[in-house]
Amino acid sequence: MGKLDENKKHKRDSLLETAFRLFMSQGINNTSISDIADQAGVAKGTFYLYFKDKYDINNKLICHKSSQLFRNASAGLDDHAEEASTFEDTMIYIIDSTINQLVENPNLLKFIAKNLSWGIFKNVMSTPVYEDDIDFREDFRRLLERFPERYDDPEIMLFMIVELVSSTCYSAILYSEPVDMETLKPYLYRNIRSIICSHKMAESKTADA
Amino acid sequence: MGKLDENKKHKRDSLLETAFRLFMSQGINNTSISDIADQAGVAKGTFYLYFKDKYDINNKLICHKSSQLFRNASAGLDDHAEEASTFEDTMIYIIDSTINQLVENPNLLKFIAKNLSWGIFKNVMSTPVYEDDIDFREDFRRLLERFPERYDDPEIMLFMIVELVSSTCYSAILYSEPVDMETLKPYLYRNIRSIICSHKMAESKTADA
Amino acid sequence: MGKLDENKKHKRDSLLETAFRLFMSQGINNTSISDIADQAGVAKGTFYLYFKDKYDINNKLICHKSSQLFRNASAGLDDHAEEASTFEDTMIYIIDSTINQLVENPNLLKFIAKNLSWGIFKNVMSTPVYEDDIDFREDFRRLLERFPERYDDPEIMLFMIVELVSSTCYSAILYSEPVDMETLKPYLYRNIRSIICSHKMAESKTADA
Amino acid sequence: MGKLDENKKHKRDSLLETAFRLFMSQGINNTSISDIADQAGVAKGTFYLYFKDKYDINNKLICHKSSQLFRNASAGLDDHAEEASTFEDTMIYIIDSTINQLVENPNLLKFIAKNLSWGIFKNVMSTPVYEDDIDFREDFRRLLERFPERYDDPEIMLFMIVELVSSTCYSAILYSEPVDMETLKPYLYRNIRSIICSHKMAESKTADA
DNA sequence: GATGAATGAGTATTCATTCAT
DNA sequence: TATGAATGAATACTCATTCAT
């Protein structure tokens, strides 16, 4: 990579980090592009060389931060092989790890907010912000293959879990409503297991209301 | 009610309805207070006699529209007593009825959007926009009492259901992602039943992960 | 007229006059709306209560100033009845009077510039800026009726004269190119008479208005 | 011409042609130097190696395109010797030919617009864009010499004709105001002949149609 | 000569809110 | 109560021009 390219990467990184910091602390609506550029140490016009507008940089950040979140959550898997001996346990492990990160960093939760939902999973896949951003669906597919059980409509199952986790965490972590996160966890995990269980493939199984 | 009061109520109603129409069609960010006042046929200054700002009117609308939604959903209950002979069936009936309304009116879903979640249930209770707006929690409590089964932590149970329904419907109805609403329903209702079931009170039952 | 209306008229006048002064001295491209509002003693937003943008105010000024120009030119007619005893002489009188005003005020010529052409005659008619702005075409029609001669296609005749006068004056007055205005006048007036003459109606003539 | 020079000429030509295309379709104000450079396939900085700014390239284009216009108009002269047996007829022939080109290409008229007037004739002379761009005044002088008649102040005569033609054509071709070009032609040509006639050097001179 | 990344001055427009009537 | 004229802060975005490579 040439000196010029390094310089460009540095500028882009600086804009991303600065925007993240400002969006977290003031919200996107109270952050102007001038603010971002100024604090990133580049001219206003330079912002537009890298991003279309502040919503563009916001989307890229959500993708990137979500990616980091899941990568961190998955990172510990190998060290906890015994806790994660089944698919269910592995999912719970990853989810618990993710939730713990969010409990530690509620601003991050606020930032990726309700966006940590299905829409994200699709976007993240297609537009990695950094070359090492992960591909959730691919990861999930691989995870499924590591275990012997097969599941009906795994995508719907994943969707249901993601939506349930993300929307309940938001309320529990940020507002302790209706109860705090630690209190909620056993109920939540029980429901996740129940969702997974209901998708377990068996001869006579059919979806019914 | 005096003529003056009627006149005032009329202005307020006109502002609420106009704002609802504009928020639905253009979104709140693209709707100015001028727009609302103009189209409601009152002067701009008059807006401020009734509402603090457009977020105030927005919140009141979300509460009111949510209230309508649930009232409509509950309205048919008496006529379908046989379908709703248990608590579970009754919940499914109400939820299905709600979802059907949203399928018919996706703009309404977009409007109350992800707001149709736990936060709303608290607000709606405390600040009825119209005197006949309902009190969800009270209604839910009454509903529970009508059936013999008792449930552990009914508020958590309700929370879990509300969050799961609202976040999955958003994606399924508006974007048919990952599947359309009709396809999703059996999976969703199965999970709701499973959540309710797991809260059924029994001597030996305890919440565990 | 109430106090409020007077106040509004005063603001509008102030904006028009200020814009005229600035457009004349700096050109429209170098004049910002802030400049106009500031120097007119009103807030920037107030500008938009009266005009759509600076091109709107520019058009209104061109119309109004053109109207003044012709009103002034026509004003002396009554005092010079003997000089203007025929239609030709009257036209020459009005044109000469107009040109003399522009020679005295070349900035005005620059301002209404090449706009003092056919397009203007149509606009001015339809959108008077002030209630006393004149209607050129109506005035021209009345003028024609005051004299016994009839003319073929008087509108085309007028068009030809207006275009010839406005484009030659621009060059002659502002740049003395190819000669100065006084030198050009005899040639120009001879040609105008010739144009009028060629439109004079005769029995055997076919094109008639 | 060396290879390097050819390369340079090619870049310059590409910039000129691209600018012409963009100015015609979007107008000069909506065309940025970036647009021109990008679409011409050169770097932005390269633009400045050949032209001062976009007004520079615009002027050069107006001159060049006007030159082409008149060259085309004059090109057919030799083949129509019988139609152009007098100076008057020759002028009319050239003007008619020019007008016909503009009718076919109204965008070109819009582009050189009201600029197709006296100012241009001076500029074109002094700064040929291409080595074969013509010198109008010299051409006009030669044309005059080819015929026996002598004229008073031929430059004023030419000026008057150019201004009359250019300003009336603009309105007639682009807006059919006050009439379309074909309708206008007989009136216009009659007036041009009258202008020429009035400059004819002779004792008994009178302006006649 | 050629490039194109970086710059940052420049400006139109919106709109929530106030307050004199 | 009701009005709507007036305010002016706030901000996104463009683009001509430079200059290090």
Short mmCIF file of all heavy atoms in Angstrom, two decimals, chain A residues 62-90:
data_model
loop_
_atom_site.label_atom_id
_atom_site.label_comp_id
_atom_site.label_asym_id
_atom_site.label_seq_id
_atom_site.Cartn_x
_atom_site.Cartn_y
_atom_site.Cartn_z
N ILE A 62 -23.02 1.18 11.75
CA ILE A 62 -23.88 0.16 12.35
C ILE A 62 -23.42 -1.22 11.91
O ILE A 62 -23.28 -2.14 12.72
CB ILE A 62 -25.36 0.40 11.96
CG1 ILE A 62 -25.89 1.64 12.67
CG2 ILE A 62 -26.21 -0.80 12.35
CD1 ILE A 62 -27.24 2.09 12.18
N CYS A 63 -23.17 -1.34 10.61
CA CYS A 63 -22.70 -2.63 10.10
C CYS A 63 -21.39 -3.04 10.77
O CYS A 63 -21.24 -4.16 11.23
CB CYS A 63 -22.48 -2.55 8.59
SG CYS A 63 -24.01 -2.35 7.68
N HIS A 64 -20.47 -2.09 10.78
CA HIS A 64 -19.16 -2.41 11.30
C HIS A 64 -19.21 -2.75 12.79
O HIS A 64 -18.61 -3.73 13.25
CB HIS A 64 -18.23 -1.23 11.06
CG HIS A 64 -16.87 -1.40 11.63
ND1 HIS A 64 -16.09 -2.50 11.32
CD2 HIS A 64 -16.15 -0.64 12.49
CE1 HIS A 64 -14.94 -2.39 11.98
NE2 HIS A 64 -14.96 -1.29 12.70
N LYS A 65 -19.94 -1.95 13.54
CA LYS A 65 -20.00 -2.19 14.98
C LYS A 65 -20.75 -3.49 15.30
O LYS A 65 -20.39 -4.20 16.24
CB LYS A 65 -20.68 -1.00 15.68
CG LYS A 65 -19.85 0.28 15.62
CD LYS A 65 -18.55 0.13 16.41
CE LYS A 65 -17.61 1.31 16.16
NZ LYS A 65 -16.36 1.19 16.95
N SER A 66 -21.78 -3.77 14.54
CA SER A 66 -22.49 -5.03 14.74
C SER A 66 -21.54 -6.19 14.46
O SER A 66 -21.52 -7.19 15.18
CB SER A 66 -23.67 -5.13 13.79
OG SER A 66 -24.51 -4.02 13.93
N SER A 67 -20.78 -6.02 13.40
CA SER A 67 -19.83 -7.07 13.03
C SER A 67 -18.84 -7.32 14.17
O SER A 67 -18.60 -8.46 14.56
CB SER A 67 -19.10 -6.66 11.76
OG SER A 67 -18.20 -7.65 11.36
N GLN A 68 -18.31 -6.25 14.70
CA GLN A 68 -17.38 -6.36 15.82
C GLN A 68 -18.03 -7.10 16.99
O GLN A 68 -17.43 -7.97 17.62
CB GLN A 68 -16.97 -4.97 16.29
CG GLN A 68 -15.91 -4.32 15.44
CD GLN A 68 -15.36 -3.06 16.12
OE1 GLN A 68 -16.09 -2.35 16.80
NE2 GLN A 68 -14.08 -2.80 15.93
N LEU A 69 -19.25 -6.70 17.26
CA LEU A 69 -19.99 -7.26 18.38
C LEU A 69 -20.07 -8.78 18.26
O LEU A 69 -19.78 -9.52 19.21
CB LEU A 69 -21.41 -6.66 18.35
CG LEU A 69 -22.31 -6.73 19.55
CD1 LEU A 69 -21.71 -6.01 20.72
CD2 LEU A 69 -23.66 -6.08 19.19
N PHE A 70 -20.45 -9.23 17.07
CA PHE A 70 -20.61 -10.67 16.89
C PHE A 70 -19.28 -11.39 16.80
O PHE A 70 -19.15 -12.53 17.22
CB PHE A 70 -21.45 -10.96 15.66
CG PHE A 70 -22.88 -10.64 15.91
CD1 PHE A 70 -23.47 -9.52 15.37
CD2 PHE A 70 -23.63 -11.46 16.75
CE1 PHE A 70 -24.80 -9.23 15.65
CE2 PHE A 70 -24.95 -11.18 17.02
CZ PHE A 70 -25.54 -10.05 16.47
N ARG A 71 -18.32 -10.69 16.28
CA ARG A 71 -17.01 -11.33 16.24
C ARG A 71 -16.50 -11.55 17.66
O ARG A 71 -16.00 -12.61 17.99
CB ARG A 71 -16.03 -10.49 15.45
CG ARG A 71 -14.71 -11.23 15.37
CD ARG A 71 -13.97 -10.91 14.13
NE ARG A 71 -14.04 -9.47 13.90
CZ ARG A 71 -13.44 -8.89 12.90
NH1 ARG A 71 -12.75 -9.62 12.05
NH2 ARG A 71 -13.53 -7.60 12.71
N ASN A 72 -16.62 -10.52 18.47
CA ASN A 72 -16.22 -10.67 19.86
C ASN A 72 -16.98 -11.81 20.52
O ASN A 72 -16.42 -12.61 21.26
CB ASN A 72 -16.50 -9.39 20.65
CG ASN A 72 -15.61 -8.25 20.22
OD1 ASN A 72 -14.57 -8.49 19.59
ND2 ASN A 72 -16.00 -7.03 20.53
N ALA A 73 -18.28 -11.84 20.26
CA ALA A 73 -19.12 -12.86 20.90
C ALA A 73 -18.67 -14.26 20.48
O ALA A 73 -18.66 -15.19 21.29
CB ALA A 73 -20.58 -12.64 20.52
N SER A 74 -18.29 -14.42 19.24
CA SER A 74 -17.90 -15.73 18.74
C SER A 74 -16.48 -16.10 19.13
O SER A 74 -16.11 -17.28 19.16
CB SER A 74 -18.01 -15.77 17.21
OG SER A 74 -19.27 -15.29 16.79
N ALA A 75 -15.69 -15.07 19.40
CA ALA A 75 -14.26 -15.28 19.63
C ALA A 75 -14.01 -16.28 20.75
O ALA A 75 -13.11 -17.13 20.66
CB ALA A 75 -13.58 -13.96 19.94
N GLY A 76 -14.83 -16.18 21.82
CA GLY A 76 -14.57 -17.04 22.97
C GLY A 76 -15.05 -18.47 22.82
O GLY A 76 -14.80 -19.31 23.69
N LEU A 77 -15.72 -18.75 21.73
CA LEU A 77 -16.33 -20.08 21.55
C LEU A 77 -15.34 -21.23 21.75
O LEU A 77 -15.64 -22.20 22.46
CB LEU A 77 -16.95 -20.19 20.16
CG LEU A 77 -18.46 -19.99 20.06
CD1 LEU A 77 -18.92 -20.30 18.66
CD2 LEU A 77 -19.17 -20.87 21.07
N ASP A 78 -14.20 -21.10 21.13
CA ASP A 78 -13.24 -22.20 21.17
C ASP A 78 -12.79 -22.52 22.59
O ASP A 78 -12.56 -23.67 22.95
CB ASP A 78 -12.02 -21.85 20.31
CG ASP A 78 -12.43 -21.75 18.84
OD1 ASP A 78 -13.44 -22.39 18.47
OD2 ASP A 78 -11.75 -21.03 18.09
N ASP A 79 -12.69 -21.45 23.41
CA ASP A 79 -12.24 -21.66 24.79
C ASP A 79 -13.33 -22.24 25.68
O ASP A 79 -13.09 -22.56 26.84
CB ASP A 79 -11.77 -20.32 25.40
CG ASP A 79 -10.63 -19.74 24.60
OD1 ASP A 79 -9.96 -20.52 23.88
OD2 ASP A 79 -10.42 -18.52 24.68
N HIS A 80 -14.53 -22.27 25.18
CA HIS A 80 -15.63 -22.77 26.00
C HIS A 80 -16.34 -23.92 25.31
O HIS A 80 -17.57 -24.00 25.32
CB HIS A 80 -16.62 -21.65 26.31
CG HIS A 80 -16.02 -20.54 27.10
ND1 HIS A 80 -15.20 -19.59 26.53
CD2 HIS A 80 -16.08 -20.26 28.43
CE1 HIS A 80 -14.80 -18.75 27.48
NE2 HIS A 80 -15.31 -19.13 28.63
N ALA A 81 -15.55 -24.80 24.75
CA ALA A 81 -16.11 -25.91 23.97
C ALA A 81 -17.08 -26.74 24.81
O ALA A 81 -18.13 -27.17 24.33
CB ALA A 81 -15.00 -26.78 23.42
N GLU A 82 -16.75 -26.91 26.08
CA GLU A 82 -17.61 -27.77 26.90
C GLU A 82 -18.98 -27.13 27.17
O GLU A 82 -20.01 -27.80 27.19
CB GLU A 82 -16.91 -28.14 28.22
CG GLU A 82 -16.65 -27.01 29.21
CD GLU A 82 -15.62 -26.01 28.70
OE1 GLU A 82 -14.97 -26.26 27.65
OE2 GLU A 82 -15.45 -24.97 29.36
N GLU A 83 -19.00 -25.80 27.32
CA GLU A 83 -20.29 -25.12 27.54
C GLU A 83 -21.16 -25.15 26.30
O GLU A 83 -22.37 -24.97 26.37
CB GLU A 83 -20.08 -23.65 27.90
CG GLU A 83 -19.48 -23.42 29.27
CD GLU A 83 -19.24 -21.94 29.50
OE1 GLU A 83 -20.08 -21.14 29.03
OE2 GLU A 83 -18.22 -21.58 30.11
N ALA A 84 -20.48 -25.25 25.15
CA ALA A 84 -21.20 -25.14 23.89
C ALA A 84 -21.14 -26.44 23.12
O ALA A 84 -20.69 -26.50 21.99
CB ALA A 84 -20.60 -23.99 23.07
N SER A 85 -21.62 -27.46 23.75
CA SER A 85 -21.51 -28.77 23.10
C SER A 85 -22.68 -29.08 22.18
O SER A 85 -22.62 -30.00 21.39
CB SER A 85 -21.39 -29.86 24.17
OG SER A 85 -22.52 -29.80 25.01
N THR A 86 -23.74 -28.31 22.30
CA THR A 86 -24.87 -28.51 21.37
C THR A 86 -25.12 -27.19 20.64
O THR A 86 -24.62 -26.14 21.03
CB THR A 86 -26.16 -28.89 22.12
OG1 THR A 86 -26.57 -27.77 22.91
CG2 THR A 86 -25.94 -30.10 23.02
N PHE A 87 -25.94 -27.28 19.61
CA PHE A 87 -26.27 -26.07 18.87
C PHE A 87 -26.98 -25.06 19.78
O PHE A 87 -26.65 -23.88 19.79
CB PHE A 87 -27.16 -26.42 17.68
CG PHE A 87 -27.66 -25.21 16.94
CD1 PHE A 87 -26.79 -24.47 16.14
CD2 PHE A 87 -28.97 -24.79 17.06
CE1 PHE A 87 -27.23 -23.35 15.47
CE2 PHE A 87 -29.43 -23.67 16.40
CZ PHE A 87 -28.55 -22.94 15.60
N GLU A 88 -27.94 -25.55 20.54
CA GLU A 88 -28.66 -24.66 21.45
C GLU A 88 -27.71 -23.95 22.41
O GLU A 88 -27.77 -22.74 22.57
CB GLU A 88 -29.64 -25.48 22.30
CG GLU A 88 -31.00 -25.70 21.66
CD GLU A 88 -31.87 -26.54 22.60
OE1 GLU A 88 -32.00 -26.18 23.78
OE2 GLU A 88 -32.39 -27.55 22.10
N ASP A 89 -26.86 -24.72 23.03
CA ASP A 89 -25.92 -24.13 23.99
C ASP A 89 -25.02 -23.11 23.31
O ASP A 89 -24.69 -22.06 23.87
CB ASP A 89 -25.07 -25.22 24.63
CG ASP A 89 -25.90 -26.06 25.61
OD1 ASP A 89 -26.96 -25.56 26.04
OD2 ASP A 89 -25.47 -27.19 25.92
N THR A 90 -24.62 -23.43 22.08
CA THR A 90 -23.74 -22.52 21.37
C THR A 90 -24.45 -21.20 21.08
O THR A 90 -23.88 -20.12 21.27
CB THR A 90 -23.26 -23.16 20.05
OG1 THR A 90 -22.68 -24.43 20.36
CG2 THR A 90 -22.26 -22.28 19.35
#
